[in-house]
Amino acid sequence: MLLKEQGKQIGVVAKESGVPIKTIRYYEELGLLKASDRTEGGFRLFNSNVFARLSFIKRAQSLGLSLLEIKEFLDVHDQGDLPCDHIKAKLNDKVTAIEYQIEQLQVLKLELEGLLSGWKSVSEIPENTICPIIYPT
């Protein structure tokens, strides 16, 4: 006879994972986590795979992936497939977006340096102007 795994209540999961209860509930609401059962008192019970899922969610978030993207990957996993190809494509998209952001930041840096290099004190207060130095020329 197989013994059924005893689920862990949300408070225990929160304590052992370091993820707040409120966050775990939110993840469940979004479909990232699923309670395996409920106690007679109605408390959520999670099986041991909740820790692997929480760890995956946190790591994926640290790589800049949204919860919606993470849910898509977990859905692929829950259907019995590895989501690695999907994740690779999404990470490639992130790299491209970061490269674009770096270019935009370099342009902004040059603009700021140009403003600062030509900075002059303004002695008179022009009408309807907050700071004439940063107005477009």
Side-chain angles (χ1 to χ4, degrees):
M1 180 174 138
L2 290 172
L3 291 175
K4 185 178 175 188
E5 177 187 6
Q6 184 66 28
K8 295 185 183 229
Q9 287 189 13
I10 195 168
V12 174
V13 172
K15 186 175 181 183
E16 291 181 14
S17 68
V19 177
I21 291 174
K22 196 173 188 177
T23 303
I24 294 170
R25 285 188 183 126
Y26 181 61
Y27 289 169
E28 184 184 21
E29 186 181 313
L30 294 178
L32 298 166
L33 300 174
K34 293 176 185 72
S36 58
D37 208 354
R38 294 229 179 216
T39 65
E40 287 182 20
F43 295 103
R44 296 167 177 84
L45 292 175
F46 294 91
N47 60 29
S48 58
N49 80 348
V50 72
F51 297 107
R53 289 178 82 91
L54 286 170
S55 178
F56 175 80
I57 292 165
K58 288 300 173 195
R59 177 65 177 137
Q61 282 183 307
S62 77
L63 296 173
L65 297 168
S66 71
L67 291 177
L68 183 60
E69 292 167 331
I70 295 167
K71 182 177 181 338
E72 290 172 16
F73 304 145
L74 288 171
D75 288 346
V76 169
H77 173 267
D78 292 345
Q79 293 167 8
D81 295 322
L82 285 175
C84 298
D85 290 340
H86 301 281
I87 293 171
K88 181 181 179 186
K90 194 57 73 174
L91 293 179
N92 277 323
D93 292 346
K94 294 284 178 200
V95 169
T96 302
I98 289 168
E99 288 169 346
Y100 177 75
Q101 287 177 314
I102 289 170
E103 288 173 18
Q104 295 302 306
L105 287 171
Q106 288 171 333
V107 168
L108 177 60
K109 180 181 178 234
L110 289 172
E111 183 178 353
L112 293 173
E113 288 172 342
L115 275 174
L116 290 170
S117 70
W119 198 270
K120 299 177 205 134
S121 292
V122 178
S123 55
E124 58 185 65
I125 301 172
E127 231 178 274
N128 298 320
T129 304
I130 296 169
C131 180
I133 297 169
I134 66 168
Y135 275 79
T137 54

